[in-house]
């Protein structure tokens, strides 16, 4: 494992982090309480030190599990949580989005409840969860600063949901000097991450990128293949057949990244992300301990050479040689892509 820091905060994160949305919910497979605890602790054993949860994951269950699992190593890990949804007063309807609530009072209330569940007096990183840019008012920014001064959080971030818009929100995070910006970013869905990296460089900002969905929902780690039958309730079931079919073809064009067995495709996908200096940590969706063993080892595999990186970008620019649609346009933005009109940019899946 290798480590990086968030912005200029000095807060250390493992280059491969644990996305704790996989525990506390059944969206990524069923597991018992004890199995979830063991899974988090196995990640610690593999030198993962960055754990990213959120209050809405399992309506608090993920935070409770993370807090319990990390209790004995609290001083050795970096913990992030997210607030911004009111699940306390609203029922969850399948995978539908809950009502957002991003006010100074709610942020304080939600954070206190999160800390109670985590059994911690502070978190290193607090992120606003899919907040819209118009919700992050000067009062909200002042509240975040106050929470840092009070010692309840050390850094602030903004977690984006590309399928519900992302451009203005992420640009505002960089402009307002948020320490971290979390977004979908992978070999097949490059637009959000690359845009923010360019913005960070142009503005000489200290914002770090946290890359989620690094394996494009199972394609780049080859956990979703032509023979895969998704279990009932699997959140990826909403994707059209065309997305899978074009994705499998794209994967075949990237076989050169495996480099004679020195790294798996799943590890190569992570190394591609880590080739960007602004990416501090990558949070894959671990489903098993075997996943943790493989992907936590990605930073120790050979980094992509300049030639390999350039070849990937050539393929991406040519849509990997595929001349048909992947069927995702209708799913990529709740605002119909209007936020991207005139920018020349593509949307991103989620």
């Amino acid at each position: 494992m290798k480590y990086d820091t968030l912005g200029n905060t000095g807060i250390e994160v493992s280059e491969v982090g644990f996305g704790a949305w996989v525990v506390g919910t059944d969206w990524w497979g069923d597991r018992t309480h004890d199995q979830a605890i063991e899974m988090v602790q196995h990640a610690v054993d593999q030198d993962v030190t960055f754990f990213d949860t959120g209050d809405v994951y399992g309506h608090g269950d993920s935070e409770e599990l993370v807090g319990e699992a990390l209790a004995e190593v609290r001083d050795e890990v970096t913990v992030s949580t997210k607030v911004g949804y009111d699940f306390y007063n609203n029922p969850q309807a399948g995978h539908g989005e809950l009502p957002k609530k991003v006010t100074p009072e709610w942020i304080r209330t939600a954070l206190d409840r999160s800390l109670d569940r985590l059994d911690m007096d502070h978190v290193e990183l607090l992120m606003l969860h899919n907040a819209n840019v118009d919700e992050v008012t000067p009062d909200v920014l002042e509240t975040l600063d106050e929470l840092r001064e009070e010692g309840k959080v050390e850094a602030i971030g903004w977690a984006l949901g590309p399928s519900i818009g992302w451009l203005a929100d992420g640009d505002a995070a960089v402009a307002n000097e948020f320490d971290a910006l979390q977004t979908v970013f992978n070999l097949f869905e490059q637009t959000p991450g690359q845009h923010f990296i360019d913005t960070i460089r142009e503005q000489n900002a200290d914002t770090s990128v946290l890359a989620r969905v690094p394996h494009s929902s199972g394609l780049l780690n080859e956990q979703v293949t032509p023979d895969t039958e998704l279990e009932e309730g699997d959140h990826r079931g909403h994707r059209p057949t065309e997305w899978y079919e074009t994705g499998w073809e794209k994967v075949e064009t990237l076989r050169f990244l495996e480099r004679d067995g020195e790294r798996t495709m799943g590890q190569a996908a992570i190394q591609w992300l880590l080739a960007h200096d602004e990416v501090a940590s990558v949070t894959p969706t671990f489903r098993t301990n075997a996943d943790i063993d493989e992907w936590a080892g990605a930073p120790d595999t050979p980094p992509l050479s300049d030639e390999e990186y350039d070849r990937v970008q050539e393929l991406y620019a040519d849509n990997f040689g595929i001349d048909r649609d992947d069927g995702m346009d209708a799913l990529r933005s709740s605002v119909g892509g209007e936020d991207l009109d005139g920018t020349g940019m593509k949307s991103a899946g989620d």
Side-chain angles (χ1 to χ4, degrees):
M1 183 61 69
K2 296 179 182 177
Y3 303 87
D4 205 340
T5 56
L6 289 178
N8 63 359
T9 65
I11 297 171
E12 185 180 82
V13 293
S14 51
E15 287 190 337
V16 176
F18 189 103
W21 45 81
V22 303
V23 295
T25 75
D26 60 1
W27 289 15
W28 292 271
D30 290 325
R31 54 184 57 83
T32 67
H33 176 91
D34 289 346
Q35 288 171 332
I37 294 293
E38 193 276 332
M39 191 174 174
V40 175
Q41 293 176 339
H42 184 76
V44 174
D45 292 340
Q46 300 306 309
D47 298 324
V48 174
T49 61
F50 177 49
F51 293 85
D52 174 31
T53 185
D55 64 356
V56 76
Y57 301 147
H59 292 192
D61 288 348
S62 175
E63 289 176 323
E64 291 183 355
L65 285 163
V66 167
E68 180 180 345
L70 298 179
E72 294 186 4
V73 294
R74 178 64 185 98
D75 294 339
E76 303 169 25
V77 296
T78 297
V79 177
S80 167
T81 197
K82 310 178 188 72
V83 299
Y85 283 109
D86 181 7
F87 60 88
Y88 299 95
N89 301 302
N90 298 277
Q92 181 79 49
H95 294 173
E97 189 183 15
L98 288 163
K100 295 179 187 176
K101 197 168 185 179
V102 186
T103 64
E105 298 78 11
W106 184 256
I107 290 171
R108 283 188 170 277
T109 296
L111 175 60
D112 285 342
R113 292 175 178 177
S114 290
L115 292 176
D116 285 344
R117 286 188 291 266
L118 288 161
D119 195 20
M120 299 175 184
D121 60 9
H122 77 287
V123 288
E124 282 74 22
L125 176 64
L126 174 67
M127 290 196 276
L128 300 181
H129 203 171
N130 294 344
N132 295 334
V133 65
D134 57 358
E135 296 173 316
V136 185
T137 63
D139 287 345
V140 166
L141 294 174
E142 182 179 355
T143 298
L144 295 173
D145 285 338
E146 290 171 354
L147 291 172
R148 282 192 285 196
E149 292 170 1
E150 295 164 14
K152 290 187 174 181
V153 305
E154 295 183 35
I156 61 170
W158 199 325
L160 308 180
S163 66
I164 52 176
W166 54 269
L167 183 59
D169 308 333
D171 283 347
V174 177
N176 285 288
E177 301 179 340
F178 276 63
D179 302 302
L181 177 60
Q182 187 175 60
T183 184
V184 169
F185 192 20
N186 60 62
L187 279 160
F188 294 162
E189 297 160 310
Q190 296 188 22
T191 303
Q194 192 58 61
H195 169 76
F196 295 128
I197 286 172
D198 292 343
T199 302
I200 289 166
R201 292 175 181 175
E202 291 167 2
Q203 298 186 19
N204 195 29
D206 289 318
T207 304
S208 288
V209 173
L210 302 175
R212 68 182 184 90
V213 200
H215 293 128
S216 194
S217 298
L219 292 175
L220 286 161
N221 54 25
E222 298 188 270
Q223 290 188 347
V224 179
T225 72
D227 297 324
T228 302
E229 293 187 13
L230 297 176
E231 297 178 4
E232 184 177 354
D234 191 307
H235 81 292
R236 293 169 297 185
H238 72 281
R239 290 178 181 261
T241 301
E242 295 91 337
W243 179 81
Y244 293 104
E245 292 175 344
T246 57
W248 296 325
E249 292 182 39
K250 293 174 185 178
V251 167
E252 291 305 316
T253 71
L254 295 171
R255 290 295 177 194
F256 66 92
L257 291 177
E258 294 170 313
R259 199 193 283 185
D260 297 326
E262 288 189 309
R263 60 187 172 216
T264 64
M265 186 65 72
Q267 290 171 329
I270 292 173
Q271 280 286 28
W272 178 83
L273 287 162
L274 294 176
H276 304 86
D277 291 341
E278 292 77 9
V279 175
S281 187
V282 178
T283 52
T285 301
F286 297 122
R287 293 169 180 263
T288 65
N289 285 353
D291 291 344
I292 296 171
D293 294 341
E294 178 184 344
W295 303 333
D300 296 321
T301 63
L304 265 64
S305 66
D306 291 343
E307 292 78 13
E308 288 172 324
Y309 184 88
D310 290 344
R311 177 59 180 150
V312 168
Q313 298 316 107
E314 290 172 3
L315 287 166
Y316 178 76
D318 189 41
N319 196 33
F320 299 88
I322 298 172
D323 62 358
R324 65 184 189 281
D325 186 75
D326 66 0
M328 284 291 290
D329 286 350
L331 301 174
R332 283 183 164 136
S333 175
S334 64
V335 294
E338 295 173 6
D339 51 341
L340 303 182
D341 285 349
T343 68
M345 288 188 283
K346 303 175 183 178
S347 297
D350 200 352

